[in-house]
Amino acid sequence: MKKLKLLSILALLVVVLAACGSKNDESTNNAANSGSGGENAKTYMIASDATYAPMEYMDKEDIVGFDIDFLKAVMEEAGLKYEVKNVAWETMLASVQQGKDYDGSISSVTITDKRLETYDFSLPYFESTNIILVKEGSGITSAQDLKDKTVAVQISTTADEIMTGIMGNGNTKLKRFESNTLAFMDMDQGGADAVVADIAIVQEYLKNNPDKKYESVTDPSFASEYYGILLPKGSELKAKLDPAVKAVIENGKYAEVYKTWFGEEPDTTNLLAELKKHEEAK
């Protein structure tokens, strides 16, 4: 009788252990399918200067925007776990360069030859250009008209680089701020005649401030720029992100995210040509 009872208990234990094993296998598969890479996979820390609406900005305690949704699609495609932290622009650039606290950054960062000396980038994912914000009736029609004006830019951006070239290095009328938000505030308070910044940022500011009597000026000399996910030099993450960036752009997910934030279909003709150029340059 005791022997039969012992056999029954052993049989029950086998069933329970088998059930537990089945449940654990299912959780691992679900984690992998959801893009997390499983419980023991590395969580990549991504920095973002969340002051660039509609690209990245704070909505209460959450970082939202085009870049954030695009990153989610890319990380799901690559099967990687990640976390995004809001980090000030200059701190973000330094931290990613060091590669200790952050594995990369998505923050409307333009791929430039100068930055490529210090960083790696993913394949390009967004076409942009700089644009000028001025008061209505200012008479400013090009960047050259800003040469003797007071101009606000975000420090260490392509706008900063362009206006330094036009106005001269050390020109005190070129005011550099930690964020475009501060540059806009300076102009609001009469401290600047113009702000030069990325087109999406200026257009969003105009849309949200229709009563300020500002307008944008497009300068044909401002060439197209392309954003990439910023990475430390020699990062192993680049090889994982590049195929995912390309797939998201080509499989329709990119268009979905773009329409969510800009209300129209993206024209990816130039972007795809630039992406191909970067692939061939590897």
Side-chain angles (χ1 to χ4, degrees):
M1 189 73 177
K2 288 181 181 179
K3 188 174 181 180
L4 287 173
K5 189 173 181 179
L6 179 60
L7 287 173
S8 297
I9 291 171
L10 288 172
L12 181 60
L13 283 171
V14 169
V15 171
V16 169
L17 288 171
C20 288
S22 176
K23 185 176 181 180
N24 287 337
D25 290 343
E26 184 180 359
S27 296
T28 301
N29 290 335
N30 286 341
N33 290 336
S34 67
S36 71
E39 289 182 5
N40 297 322
K42 175 178 177 177
T43 297
Y44 289 94
M45 299 303 298
I46 307 297
S48 184
D49 176 20
T51 59
Y52 272 63
M55 303 302 289
E56 47 268 322
Y57 63 98
M58 297 303 299
D59 181 7
K60 296 179 181 178
E61 296 182 357
D62 298 322
I63 307 175
V64 298
F66 172 86
D67 276 352
I68 305 307
D69 285 355
F70 171 74
L71 178 65
K72 180 181 179 182
V74 168
M75 296 307 246
E76 286 179 351
E77 179 70 29
L80 302 175
K81 293 171 67 175
Y82 71 104
E83 187 176 340
V84 183
K85 294 284 188 180
N86 183 18
V87 183
W89 178 257
E90 289 273 89
T91 303
M92 178 196 80
L93 293 176
S95 296
V96 174
Q97 182 180 352
Q98 293 166 3
K100 294 178 181 178
D101 295 327
Y102 295 97
D103 301 290
S105 166
I106 189 161
S107 198
S108 306
V109 186
T110 300
I111 303 169
T112 67
D113 290 340
K114 185 177 180 180
R115 286 176 178 157
L116 283 169
E117 294 174 4
T118 310
Y119 304 93
D120 281 343
F121 281 88
S122 71
L123 290 174
Y125 69 86
F126 192 89
E127 180 182 9
S128 182
T129 186
N130 280 288
I131 197 169
I132 305 165
L133 178 71
V134 294
K135 295 176 183 177
E136 291 179 359
S138 68
I140 293 169
T141 60
S142 71
Q144 288 301 322
D145 293 336
L146 299 174
K147 195 168 185 178
D148 298 317
K149 303 291 186 181
T150 302
V151 180
V153 296
Q154 181 174 19
I155 192 170
S156 301
T157 61
T158 52
D160 182 1
E161 184 178 331
I162 289 168
M163 294 314 302
T164 297
I166 291 172
M167 299 175 69
N169 195 22
N171 191 327
T172 57
K173 288 189 174 182
L174 180 57
K175 303 173 75 173
R176 298 175 174 89
F177 293 91
E178 179 63 28
S179 71
N180 281 313
T181 301
L182 294 175
F184 291 140
M185 286 175 62
D186 188 60
M187 185 170 163
D188 289 344
Q189 295 164 5
D193 299 303
V195 173
V196 180
D198 289 1
I199 185 170
I201 314 307
V202 172
Q203 288 179 338
E204 183 75 4
Y205 188 76
L206 286 170
K207 184 179 76 173
N208 294 332
N209 298 276
D211 300 328
K212 290 190 175 179
K213 296 185 178 179
Y214 289 162
E215 63 184 357
S216 62
V217 175
T218 302
D219 189 322
S221 71
F222 291 172
S224 285
E225 302 176 355
Y226 297 90
Y227 299 159
I229 300 172
L230 187 72
L231 302 166
K233 203 70 176 172
S235 172
E236 50 85 22
L237 190 53
K238 178 174 171 58
K240 298 175 181 178
L241 291 182
D242 280 353
V245 168
K246 184 178 181 182
V248 168
I249 292 172
E250 293 180 341
N251 66 16
K253 186 63 181 177
Y254 183 87
E256 283 181 35
V257 174
Y258 193 97
K259 282 187 286 186
T260 297
W261 290 101
F262 300 104
E264 60 185 11
E265 285 276 352
D267 181 353
T268 58
T269 305
N270 292 339
L271 176 60
L272 288 171
E274 187 71 12
L275 190 150
K276 184 178 180 181
K277 187 168 75 174
H278 279 259
E279 283 187 309
E280 292 173 348
K282 287 182 180 179

